[in-house]
Amino acid sequence: MSLSYDNVDALVSHELSSLESVLRVCDVELVLLDGNSPRSAMQATIHDGCLIGKIALGMRVRGRFVLPGDWALLAYVQAADEVASWCHGMPLGPGAVITVLPQGAAEFSFSESSALVFCLVPTSRLPTSASASPLMRSAGVIQAGVRRSAQADA
């Protein structure tokens, strides 16, 4: 999936309502934090019952969403200003991984020129402690939160 986030001029203006429905299984409440119009580029596809997508932002935005009880969100931050971008108060910079489980509201803020890849997946598809892969760092279930890659911390 190729989608440039380097060229803000190539981003398209969208109504906030179309951006708010990007996850399809729930609404995302968005508030613009600067004077820019809601500009973004989005690509998404459904593969094997999962929504896989990429979004690039041309505006500062703050938002929140609540996933239905049978969905989880996994995301990788490709680009973001670590000072202005966060999820639940944890800084989000390039290389951050976000896991959102259906256990409450997810709150976030992204800077202009942020880009992330996401996968919305049914929770029934996530590993449980009984079926955890030996390839996982620790045997157990997937936990909600923000993680930084070792490469991003270096």
Side-chain angles (χ1 to χ4, degrees):
M1 199 175 295
S2 76
L3 181 63
S4 175
Y5 53 86
D6 296 326
N7 184 0
V8 175
D9 295 329
L11 301 178
V12 178
S13 288
H14 291 278
E15 294 291 325
L16 271 182
S17 60
S18 66
L19 292 175
E20 291 173 338
S21 64
V22 69
L23 293 181
R24 299 186 188 181
V25 298
C26 66
D27 288 333
V28 180
E29 299 169 11
L30 294 174
V31 176
L32 296 177
L33 299 176
D34 56 21
N36 293 334
S37 65
R39 296 168 48 86
S40 66
M42 295 180 285
Q43 288 182 330
T45 187
I46 296 175
H47 177 72
D48 200 21
C50 301
L51 177 66
I52 302 168
K54 183 171 181 179
I55 186 163
L57 301 172
M59 73 286 192
R60 287 185 56 219
V61 66
R62 181 173 177 169
R64 70 184 302 273
F65 61 91
V66 177
L67 290 173
D70 53 348
W71 289 94
L73 177 80
L74 309 171
Y76 176 79
V77 179
Q78 290 186 309
D81 177 349
E82 201 168 328
V83 173
S85 302
W86 51 265
C87 183
H88 290 290
M90 296 292 296
L92 294 178
V97 176
I98 305 164
T99 306
V100 180
L101 299 176
Q103 57 195 30
E107 296 188 21
F108 61 89
S109 179
F110 282 104
S111 61
E112 182 177 352
S113 300
S114 291
L116 58 137
V117 177
F118 65 89
C119 181
L120 190 62
V121 60
T123 54
S124 62
R125 304 281 300 275
L126 297 177
T128 63
S129 57
S131 65
S133 166
L135 300 177
M136 296 177 67
R137 278 193 199 161
S138 61
V141 297
I142 291 179
Q143 298 177 349
V146 175
R147 290 159 190 79
R148 302 278 310 210
S149 69
Q151 191 176 37
D153 290 332

